[in-house]
Amino acid sequence: WLSFTLSMEEKYMFISQRRFISMQIAKDSSSDSRILSSIETKRKELILLGSKTGLKSSETLKCSKELDKLIYIYQFKRIKD
């Protein structure tokens, strides 16, 4: 395990984000193929943004977080099913 310390605000944000994603998963009736298609589209967008604006740009980081959420949703659904 990696060891790191989160501030109270970061912990709250993490918990809030996790609850939001869980609620989205519960509402989402999408098939695995639809989620995988979204992941692939977002991955291509991330590669394009990274090459155009740089890996540390705010747009690239935002896109990366969105991709992470999609992957998390897919993994959560696979475990749940």
Side-chain angles (χ1 to χ4, degrees):
W1 289 95
L2 294 174
S3 178
F4 57 91
T5 305
L6 296 175
S7 69
M8 289 303 286
E9 182 177 322
E10 289 170 324
K11 288 178 186 176
Y12 176 77
M13 293 290 288
F14 177 77
I15 291 168
S16 297
Q17 218 173 29
R18 191 167 179 198
R19 284 184 186 152
F20 174 76
I21 291 170
S22 296
M23 287 172 23
Q24 291 298 99
I25 291 169
K27 290 179 185 177
D28 187 12
S29 61
S30 298
S31 67
D32 286 348
S33 61
R34 185 171 170 192
I35 295 172
L36 286 172
S37 175
S38 296
I39 289 171
E40 185 61 22
T41 301
K42 188 59 68 175
R43 186 185 70 80
K44 289 176 182 177
E45 180 183 346
L46 178 61
I47 291 168
L48 211 77
L49 273 172
S51 64
K52 285 186 177 181
T53 64
L55 298 178
K56 293 183 180 182
S57 74
S58 60
E59 295 106 3
T60 302
L61 295 175
K62 180 181 176 188
C63 185
S64 177
K65 288 178 183 181
E66 291 169 357
L67 176 60
D68 289 345
K69 287 178 186 178
L70 288 170
I71 292 170
Y72 177 80
I73 288 169
Y74 176 75
Q75 290 175 338
F76 190 84
K77 283 182 70 84
R78 299 282 296 173
I79 291 170
K80 191 176 171 186
D81 294 340

